[in-house]
Each structure stands twice: as C-alpha cells, then as structure tokens.
Amino acid sequence: MTAAGARADAMTLLADLSDAPREGVWSAPGRVNLIGEHTDYNEGFVLPFAIPHRTVAAAARRDDDRIRVASTFAPEPVEVALAELDELFPTATGASPRVPEWAAYPLGVAWALRQAGARGSGVDLAIASDVPVGAGLSSSAAIESATASALNDLWGAGLDRTALARIGRRAENEAVGAPTGIMDQMASMLGETDAAIFLDCRSLEAEAVAVGVIDAGLEVLVIDTHVSHAHSTGGYRERRASCEKGAELLGVLSLRDVDTADLARAERVMDDVTFRRVRHIVTENQRVLDTVRTLREHGPRAIGDLLVASHASMRDDFEISVPELDTAVESALAAGALGARMTGGGFGGAAIALIERDAEQAVTDAVRAAFAASGYAEPTVFTVVPSAGAQRDD
Ligand code: ADP
Ligand code: MG
C-alpha cells in the first residue's frame, strides 16, 4: 500500500458511506523520531521527521448535526450527534471509551475542536491509511492530524498548525486516554520535505532543520519488529511517573531544567532506578541539541554516534527497548549502518538505521538474517525520507 492507494481507498469508502458530493480530501503523515525519546513530556527537545506514509480523510457534509466516521481498518462506521460528543469525552483515565477505541481518535478530535469553540454542521469522514499501525510510526497522530485538518477547514475554525497539533494531543490524552506528549502531532502537522522538526516542547517553538540525507547519498531504514507496543501504557505511565519524581526530588518543574552538570547531585538524592531514568532524559536532551548542531555543521553523515548513544541510553538507563529492537540496531550497525536506534515510545515498534543508499540491500539482509537466527518474527524493512506534513489534497 502507498499513500496514493490510501487516498483512493478513502474516496471509495466515502462514496459507499454518503451520497452527498465529496467536500474535500485531507491527509497527514506518520513520523519517525530521529532523536529525542521521552523528552517531550519532560518539556525538552525532540527531532522527528514526517514520513511518506499518510492517513487520508475524505469528507462529505451532512444536512443534520451528526458526525460519522468510517475507517478501512474497522468493520462498522460509528455515528454520534455532535452535541453528544461532550458526554462521551473525556473518559476517566483508563476507562474504555463508549465508542470503539479507534473511533475515539477522530471523534476525540471533533470533541476537542468543539471544546476550543469550533462549531459546524454534520459531517461524514472516511479514513484510510498506509501508516503501519502500532509500529511506533504514529498512525495515531496521522489520524488525528488528518481529521483535525479536515474539520478545521470544514468548520472554518481557522486554527494554525500548532493549535491543531494541540487539538490532536488533547484527543489522544483525554478522549482515547493515552498519556502521550506533543511530539507526534507536531511532526505530523509541521513536517517538511528533507527536513526534521526541531521542537522545543516547552515553548512549542519549532524549526525545520535540513537533514540532507538525500544529497549525502544516505537513507533512513525503518525496521518494524512487529512487537506490539499496544500493552505498553503501563510502562509508559511508569516512566512518566519516574521523571516527575526525579524532577520533584531535584526541586525543578520538569527535567528540562536539569543539565548534565547536575547529574552528580541527582545521583546522590535519588534511588538508582529514578536516577537512571533522569540520566536518560538529561543526556537525551543534550544529544538532540548536539544532533541539530552536528547536522548544521557537518551534515547527516556525522550524527551516527549520537543515534547509537541514544539507543544505549534507552536500553540501559530508561529500559524501554526489547531484544528485537536491540537485535535490529546491533545487526544494522554490524552491517555498516552509520547509526541506529529504536524510535518511538519503546517496548516494541520500530528501529531506524542511517545507511549509505547503496548498502540498503546488505543491511536489510543482515537484519533479516539476525532475526531469523534469533527465532524472531520476520521484520518489515523499508526506507523513508523526510516528507511534507498535513495538507489538503483535494
Ligand atoms: P502508533 O501511533 O504507534 O501507530 P498507537 O497505539 O498510538 O500506535 O495508535 C494506534 C491506534 O490508532 C490504532 O489501534 C487505532 O485505534 C488508531 N488508528 C490509527 N490509524 C487508524 C486508521 N487508519 N483507522 C482507524 N484507526 C486508526
Ligand atoms: Mg501513537
């Protein structure tokens, strides 16, 4: 499947759903995070980029005040009155929504837009996607950003990209009940061709930084381990709690306010596990800053060691890697990758490897062979380039 295939599927699904004329088609990408993991909810720095894989939302207006969402991933469309959204959401933390979970993403976006004051008539939304789901490539932000872009235009809400990213996060946090940061939505909303988004998660200031992989003859390989991170909510919450505890023990608002020089003191005032969680966040923030500087001064070929150090920190200090991700990283590096790390929230999902374009086959073969030798399920391996963010397509 390709983004063009998803577009065709969304239009077909809409035609099945509604006799009304198509009002428009919007799409938004998934993302990989080049570096900066779990730093977003610590008000730190991240450097994600949007990928070519997209979620597409095709829309038709209705002449009542109801919203209906359908996805090629789900058997049944879900329909509610717009005013009913306010009773459906927010869900109490951990409670399952009174709609199928997938529908809480687009309906949660409609709810969050209404909470922000947007009003508009009823709408049918048909959704299709070629973003791998649950692979750590943020199919969730893609569906949120595509829906938010569509409804923003259809309802004339006039929100800018950053505001729409916040709407998507609010939907995910409060309607779905997943305690995620703002990185994914910002990457999906703000992505640019051949650039990564350097995001300060405290101020939400974002800057496009040229990655230059194409000019340098490099590629980013994505290795989807197919280890599902669906049950990782517990681990994610635990890591967040450790970070909050660490910040409190250091007397700061968030770990953003701690730097590497403070680590010696941190080690004295907290238990070993909390300290290692804190050390990951503090050093990871520094690695993001170093990566941005290195990209600007020396280009993408020079960032490999930073990616490798990031992976080691996630594996040893933050403890969010799994053996399949470690195998992906180690086998890619052994086959000549310039750098590699797991990407996304961890506990499964995907790893990325920065490789020479002409090494794609060799690295792919090496990773597959290593997975087979370990008895792991066959990974899906593909390349990505930094791509455009959310947009209206039609
Ligand atoms: P990731 O963002 O890494 O892909 P998440 O668990 O955060 O994984 O989000 C995946 C969930 O988002 C899916 O289980 C589903 O509920 C929802 N979702 C994503 N894309 C779609 C889609 N095209 N159609 C319906 N639901 C989707
Ligand atoms: Mg997600």
Side-chain angles (χ1 to χ4, degrees):
M1 241 272 251
T2 61
R7 207 175 112 102
D9 287 355
M11 294 199 279
T12 305
L13 185 63
L14 185 71
D16 292 345
L17 199 66
S18 168
D19 293 330
R22 189 173 69 237
E23 197 70 39
V25 179
W26 290 259
S27 68
R31 61 98 188 92
V32 296
N33 192 15
L34 192 55
I35 196 161
E37 221 65 75
H38 287 254
T39 44
D40 61 348
Y41 56 79
N42 288 293
E43 301 193 339
F45 305 106
V46 294
L47 191 64
F49 64 81
I51 58 177
H53 304 68
R54 303 181 78 85
T55 297
V56 181
R61 288 191 196 275
R62 298 170 60 102
D63 43 25
D64 59 14
D65 288 322
R66 301 178 73 78
I67 179 167
R68 185 162 48 159
V69 292
S71 166
T72 53
F73 292 6
E76 298 283 344
V78 177
E79 182 180 324
V80 299
L82 285 168
E84 233 180 276
L85 290 171
D86 306 342
E87 293 149 37
L88 277 176
F89 306 121
T91 59
T93 308
S96 38
R98 279 189 287 137
V99 291
E101 191 183 51
W102 76 268
Y105 291 84
L107 293 178
V109 166
W111 164 77
L113 276 167
R114 284 174 59 85
Q115 291 289 306
R119 286 293 178 275
S121 60
V123 56
D124 283 330
L125 280 179
I127 294 159
S129 179
D130 74 329
V131 184
V133 170
L137 301 177
S138 209
S139 68
S140 56
I143 190 173
E144 290 152 11
S145 300
T147 305
S149 301
L151 294 178
N152 186 49
D153 286 355
L154 289 166
W155 291 350
L159 297 179
D160 66 17
R161 286 171 180 271
T162 301
L164 292 177
R166 285 179 191 267
I167 293 288
R169 174 175 59 170
R170 184 154 190 214
E172 187 149 350
N173 290 172
E174 297 179 41
V176 178
T180 56
I182 189 74
M183 166 174 74
D184 298 354
Q185 294 83 3
M186 287 291 276
S188 184
M189 287 305 312
L190 294 168
E192 285 182 25
T193 305
D194 210 18
I197 306 303
F198 173 38
L199 176 64
D200 178 335
C201 296
R202 172 167 277 171
S203 65
L204 289 195
E205 254 170 73
E207 198 182 339
V209 176
V211 181
V213 281
I214 298 167
D215 288 347
L218 304 178
E219 276 179 345
V220 175
L221 203 64
V222 176
I223 303 149
D224 178 1
T225 64
H226 297 296
V227 177
S228 168
H229 69 163
H231 301 295
S232 67
T233 319
Y236 188 93
R237 279 180 204 280
E238 231 179 88
R239 296 304 181 281
R240 283 190 78 134
S242 292
C243 292
E244 279 163 26
K245 181 178 169 188
E248 199 181 310
L249 287 168
L250 290 169
V252 293
L253 230 46
S254 79
L255 294 180
R256 159 66 176 271
D257 300 312
V258 181
D259 66 39
T260 47
D262 302 320
L263 285 174
R265 181 169 74 92
E267 191 166 16
R268 287 195 301 272
V269 301
M270 60 188 73
D271 62 276
D272 176 60
V273 170
T274 308
F275 170 65
R276 286 186 294 112
R277 305 297 187 250
V278 168
R279 182 165 61 187
H280 166 70
I281 299 300
V282 172
T283 58
E284 186 78 351
N285 272 327
Q286 188 59 49
R287 282 186 289 269
V288 175
L289 299 175
D290 291 347
T291 301
V292 170
R293 187 171 37 78
T294 303
L295 281 172
R296 285 180 173 145
E297 290 174 6
H298 306 288
R301 218 169 266 281
I303 66 170
D305 291 349
L306 289 161
L307 303 184
V308 173
S310 172
H311 185 78
S313 179
M314 290 188 283
R315 182 190 60 211
D316 303 334
D317 273 354
F318 219 57
E319 295 182 278
I320 55 172
S321 190
V322 294
E324 288 85 347
L325 288 166
D326 294 339
T327 297
V329 166
E330 282 154 25
S331 57
L333 289 172
L338 301 172
R341 61 186 285 280
M342 53 151 281
T343 185
F347 306 102
I352 56 170
L354 182 66
I355 60 167
E356 305 285 349
R357 193 180 304 144
D358 58 17
E360 182 183 333
Q361 198 58 51
V363 177
T364 302
D365 291 346
V367 170
R368 285 184 192 287
F371 270 61
S374 300
Y376 301 150
E378 202 179 310
T380 304
V381 185
F382 53 93
T383 60
V384 293
V385 288
S387 302
Q391 65 190 31
R392 183 170 188 158
D393 294 322
D394 180 38

